[in-house]
């Protein structure tokens, strides 16, 4: 009985195996088909050898030839930059501004440590304009100036140099038209802006940054372009795309972000002014109430003294 059960189990297992296997002829056909696919050709060996022999910065490309020497270089982290900013500032940032300052330190640091980044006057103008916009209504003006200094120092920038570059470009743009700026961004002329545009056009790895876009927005404001989001978008598209021949989508997006942020900051400024007005009114009301109490106390003391003098006069008459 036990033997018959064993025979039956073996027969069932054999049938199950056959159900999930193919004949030897099919296996041969499929093996040939797989071997003939592009992935399983002899080139796979050379591809694997190439991967194994890969060395950072040693690729046979123009990018690697230009920046390969930086492979393995130590790069500061955002955390280290923010730590230096905090240590340099030495005082807490106002709660309303803490998020913006954190974002500025982080984004500015990531721009500065990128090997493709090259600082220019447009970047400096945009950076100064952004910081002035954010910090112009900081509750303590002196602390606001220290925040700017600490932020620039934490990313390795010289505040005096950045301010000088921004002021020079701003002075040059005075009296110019939108068309003048467009010509300079095409590389025409010998102006500082034309030199920046020529350098950007001649560098296929030129790196755009948000502060470069803000610098262009500031130039728009100087030359009289209407400070409207849709108008600035069209001008940015023309300046970046047609004049500088660079991708303009990010720049246009940053232009929109600038106006949105400016709108929020203007609302915050209005709110803070309203709070300041209310606080001044409350203080004035408290001072007025104290003055009224002082006047009433003085009148009461005067009346009391009059009564005392009257009683003293009566006593003198009685004695006389």
């Amino acid at each position: 009985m036990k033997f018959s059960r064993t025979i039956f189990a073996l027969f069932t297992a054999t049938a199950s195996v056959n159900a999930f296997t193919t004949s030897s002829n099919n296996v041969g056909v499929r093996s040939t088909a797989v071997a003939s696919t592009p992935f399983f050709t002899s080139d796979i060996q050379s591809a694997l050898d190439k991967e194994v022999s890969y060395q950072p910065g040693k690729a046979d490309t123009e990018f690697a030839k230009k920046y390969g020497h930086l492979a393995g270089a130590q790069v500061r982290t955002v955390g280290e930059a923010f730590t230096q900013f905090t240590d340099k500032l030495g005082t807490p940032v106002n709660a309303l501004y803490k998020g913006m300052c954190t974002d500025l330190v982080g984004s500015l640091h990531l721009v500065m440590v990128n090997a493709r980044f090259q600082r220019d006057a447009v970047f400096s103008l945009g950076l100064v304009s952004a910081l002035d916009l954010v910090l112009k209504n900081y509750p303590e003006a002196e602390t606001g100036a220290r925040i700017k200094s600490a932020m620039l120092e934490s990313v390795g920038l010289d505040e005096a140099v950045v301010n000088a570059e921004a002021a020079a470009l701003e002075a040059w743009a005075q009296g110019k038209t939108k068309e003048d700026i467009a010509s300079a961004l095409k590389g025409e002329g010998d102006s500082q802006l034309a030199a920046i545009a020529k350098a950007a056009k001649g560098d296929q790895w030129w790196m755009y940054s948000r502060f470069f876009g803000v610098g262009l927005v500031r130039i728009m404001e100087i030359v009289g372009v209407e400070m409207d989001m849709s108008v600035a978008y069209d001008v940015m598209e023309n300046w970046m795309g047609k004049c500088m021949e660079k991708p303009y989508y990010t720049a246009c997006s940053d232009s929109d972000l600038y106006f949105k942020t400016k709108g929020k900051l203007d609302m915050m400024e209005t709110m803070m002014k309203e709070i300041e007005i209310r606080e001044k009114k409350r203080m004035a009301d408290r001072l007025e109430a104290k003055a009224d109490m002082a006047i009433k106390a003085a009148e009461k003391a005067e009346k009391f003294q009059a009564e005392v003098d009257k009683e003293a006069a009566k006593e003198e008459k009685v004695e006389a």
Side-chain angles (χ1 to χ4, degrees), residues 44-259:
I44 189 66
Q45 183 64 40
S46 60
L48 290 173
D49 292 340
K50 185 177 180 181
E51 288 295 324
V52 171
S53 62
Y54 170 76
Q55 294 180 359
K58 302 298 182 181
D60 187 19
T61 63
E62 292 299 321
F63 187 85
K65 290 175 182 177
K66 185 171 183 178
Y67 299 107
H69 65 284
L70 297 174
Q74 292 294 322
V75 179
R76 292 178 66 214
T77 64
V78 174
E80 290 171 338
F82 195 77
T83 297
Q84 185 177 351
F85 165 75
T86 304
D87 294 342
K88 175 65 178 176
L89 181 59
T91 186
V93 178
N94 185 288
L96 290 174
Y97 291 82
K98 190 169 185 178
M100 289 183 286
C101 288
T102 302
D103 180 66
L104 281 170
V105 172
S107 59
L108 184 56
H109 169 75
L110 292 176
V111 169
M112 294 296 300
V113 297
N114 193 309
R116 294 166 51 209
F117 171 72
Q118 296 292 330
R119 195 187 78 245
D120 54 50
V122 179
F123 169 86
S124 296
L125 179 59
L127 178 56
V128 171
S129 300
L131 293 177
D132 289 346
L133 176 67
V134 171
L135 300 171
K136 68 175 182 178
N137 293 309
Y138 197 85
E140 298 85 22
E142 183 180 348
T143 303
R146 288 170 55 197
I147 289 175
K148 178 182 177 181
S149 300
M151 193 174 297
L152 295 179
E153 185 174 331
S154 68
V155 297
L157 288 172
D158 188 322
E159 184 178 4
V161 173
V162 171
N163 288 336
E165 291 177 347
L169 183 59
E170 194 170 24
W172 173 86
Q174 297 293 338
K176 299 294 189 298
T177 64
K178 182 173 65 174
E179 290 72 24
D180 294 334
I181 303 301
S183 298
L185 289 174
K186 290 177 182 177
E188 299 174 0
D190 57 356
S191 66
Q192 183 181 14
L193 186 60
I196 293 171
K198 289 176 185 176
K201 286 184 175 185
D203 184 2
Q204 64 173 323
W205 309 116
W206 178 79
M207 175 184 162
Y208 166 84
S209 72
R210 176 176 296 175
F211 299 104
F212 188 92
V214 175
L216 292 180
V217 173
R218 173 59 184 146
I219 293 175
M220 292 182 201
E221 184 178 6
I222 295 172
V223 300
V225 175
E226 182 183 354
M227 285 291 96
D228 178 78
M229 185 185 297
S230 59
V231 175
Y233 187 102
D234 294 337
V235 176
M236 184 69 77
E237 180 179 347
N238 179 55
W239 285 0
M240 284 293 298
K242 295 181 179 179
C243 298
M244 293 190 67
E245 300 174 0
K246 296 292 182 181
Y248 59 85
Y249 295 107
T250 302
C252 291
S253 176
D254 288 340
S255 173
D256 288 348
L257 178 63
Y258 172 84
F259 284 101

